[in-house]
Amino acid sequence: HIPALSIHHGTGDAIVPYQWSEDLYEAAEEQETLSELYLYPGGKHTLDGKDWDLAMERTAAFFDAHVKNGGK
């Protein structure tokens, strides 16, 4: 069981299809795993620039809310 999952994926990723992240998110939801999915339009395999900054802000907020101190 995964307690929480935060997924970030660029739609322009030529290495890993972003559909895989959508599928993972759907599977997590079916298992009632706390999860979030963020797609970055045109983002490549390695997010950069504003996409990177936003992904890190979202990741830190998710960590603080759901992971840090046991999610309390």
Side-chain angles (χ1 to χ4, degrees):
H1 173 73
I2 299 171
L5 184 63
S6 180
I7 307 164
H8 302 260
H9 207 130
T11 62
D13 188 337
I15 297 170
V16 178
Y18 72 89
Q19 179 64 46
W20 290 6
S21 287
E22 290 179 329
D23 293 345
L24 175 60
Y25 175 76
E26 288 178 21
E29 289 288 293
E30 288 174 8
Q31 296 295 315
E32 298 181 358
T33 297
L34 173 65
S35 56
E36 61 184 20
L37 169 65
Y38 294 105
L39 297 177
Y40 299 84
K44 305 298 181 205
H45 183 70
T46 303
L47 297 173
D48 61 4
K50 291 180 181 179
D51 288 342
W52 171 260
D53 294 341
L54 182 55
M56 291 302 99
E57 286 175 27
R58 289 171 166 168
T59 299
F62 186 85
F63 179 85
D64 286 346
H66 305 294
V67 180
K68 187 177 177 180
N69 298 320
K72 298 175 183 176

